[in-house]
Amino acid sequence: MIPVVKTIDEVRKHVKAWRRDGLSIGLVPTMGFLHEGHKSLIDRAVRENDRVVVSDFVNPTQFGPNEDLEAYPRDLDRDAALCDEAGASLIFNPEPEEMYHAPLTTVSVDKITKVLCGKSRPVHFAGVCTVVSKLFNIVTPDRAYFGQKDAQQLCVVRKMVKDLDFDIEIVGCPIVREADGLAKSSRNTYLSPEERKAALCLSRALGKGRKMIDEGERSAAAVKAAIRAEIEREPLARIDYVEAVNMDSFEDAEEAAAPLLAAVAVYIGKTRLIDNFIIE
Ligand code: PAF
């Protein structure tokens, strides 16, 4: 069975031994409660690296005061079985005290973290960038794998890596969906059966927007309006945002053309779900 280690020192021991043997290392940062989306990242990391570390850590610093830190689902045994089966080499599952000793240092990326999810989650990306930087320094991977479902996170991490000269390749992986289109997320477990049905409005609305562009629509405002209208037809949905931005600058897009990120965040009951599509 795959080793599960709790301390930074233990990770470093494994990494040192692998490096002595000239092996390459992939990192898949996760908050656990792994699903098919995470598995696709781990599978790719296993294909592309000699050893793969999966971090399994519900990072408290990326949750705001009224968010779901306590409720966030956890199941280390199930995660370990999935990682083992996928061929990962090590799980790093620290306690918060192992990662944070009254820190005075934060890593934050400006501007592109102030919009979309950053607007309603003001501390989120600094928490993500800080923990991801720490994981990069602990594991020193050659490659790190992130899902496109958190498209803004992927862009923010890429920018951080460029700005801070981390010698790490960031690999973005496609969104994995349920058969009916719902993007896989650990937070889907919060949904009641009725909410689960309602949650389909995200992928349905984005699908409509995407189709409009494929059929020649060039106005980003028109695409956004259509996405918003489709979500608003669902009584259980409350929109946090519907945005279409230039994927490099994160400024509002006028034209619905590459590089475009169309992204939504929607509350279904109390559960906040995100989804997106990209035109590259
Ligand atoms: O995407 C996530 O699960 C988290 O934001 C990450 C990257 C593991 C950092 O805690």
Side-chain angles (χ1 to χ4, degrees):
M1 192 64 165
I2 185 169
V4 178
V5 300
K6 295 278 189 190
T7 67
I8 294 166
D9 275 356
E10 285 169 286
V11 178
R12 289 201 161 130
K13 270 187 201 136
H14 282 269
V15 168
K16 258 193 193 144
W18 294 336
R19 290 295 185 203
R20 254 198 317 270
D21 292 342
L23 302 175
S24 63
I25 301 173
L27 169 66
V28 183
T30 82
M31 298 209 298
F33 211 71
L34 305 180
H35 50 68
E36 288 294 314
H38 297 110
K39 188 169 177 299
S40 74
L41 306 182
I42 299 168
D43 286 344
R44 175 137 184 215
V46 167
R47 281 200 303 277
E48 295 179 352
N49 301 275
D50 298 313
R51 295 289 180 270
V52 171
V53 178
V54 178
S55 63
D56 188 319
F57 176 56
V58 183
N59 173 39
T61 65
Q62 68 188 72
F63 289 78
N66 298 317
E67 295 182 355
D68 57 341
L69 173 61
E70 297 311 324
Y72 200 84
R74 293 158 168 88
D75 190 341
L76 183 58
D77 289 343
R78 205 172 59 101
D79 292 349
L82 184 146
C83 290
D84 194 50
E85 203 187 305
S89 319
L90 186 72
I91 295 181
F92 178 40
N93 174 237
E95 294 300 324
E97 301 72 44
E98 175 69 7
M99 292 297 274
Y100 299 112
H101 312 269
L104 298 175
T105 307
T106 304
V107 180
S108 65
V109 171
D110 204 357
K111 195 175 165 216
I112 61 173
T113 58
K114 307 283 186 248
V115 293
L116 278 69
C117 288
K119 244 190 194 167
S120 55
R121 305 189 72 192
V123 300
H124 177 67
F125 287 112
V128 169
C129 289
T130 304
V131 80
V132 168
S133 300
K134 285 168 71 67
L135 291 168
F136 286 176
N137 284 329
I138 295 164
V139 179
T140 62
D142 299 283
R143 294 173 201 86
Y145 296 78
F146 293 86
Q148 188 209 297
K149 177 164 157 281
D150 295 290
Q152 188 177 13
Q153 169 172 281
L154 176 57
C155 294
V156 168
V157 169
R158 279 195 205 283
K159 183 71 179 129
M160 177 188 81
V161 162
K162 191 154 186 261
D163 287 354
L164 298 184
D165 303 302
F166 281 106
D167 189 12
I168 297 170
E169 183 190 340
I170 302 302
V171 183
C173 302
I175 299 177
V176 178
R177 297 183 179 280
E178 305 284 356
D180 59 8
L182 181 66
K184 300 246 184 193
S185 164
S186 306
R187 292 192 167 95
N188 291 349
T189 51
Y190 299 151
L191 302 170
S192 70
E194 196 193 355
E195 289 170 343
R196 171 69 184 70
K197 265 191 218 146
L200 288 176
C201 69
L202 281 81
S203 54
R204 195 171 53 239
L206 286 164
K208 267 202 166 170
R210 177 79 213 223
K211 189 160 174 276
M212 283 171 74
I213 297 173
D214 291 345
E215 288 174 356
E217 178 59 64
R218 282 291 164 266
S219 155
V223 172
K224 259 180 11 181
I227 294 172
R228 179 173 279 278
E230 183 63 35
I231 297 171
E232 281 172 351
R233 281 161 46 127
E234 170 50 62
L236 294 185
R238 182 167 58 82
I239 292 175
D240 178 1
Y241 67 75
V242 173
E243 295 290 356
V245 297
N246 175 298
M247 237 183 104
D248 297 327
S249 64
F250 274 70
E251 284 166 6
D252 280 345
E254 281 182 17
E255 225 195 312
L260 182 83
L261 167 66
V264 303
V266 179
Y267 286 93
I268 303 291
K270 285 191 173 141
T271 306
R272 184 176 176 280
L273 300 176
I274 57 174
D275 200 349
N276 68 77
F277 68 82
I278 286 172
I279 310 240
E280 289 191 278

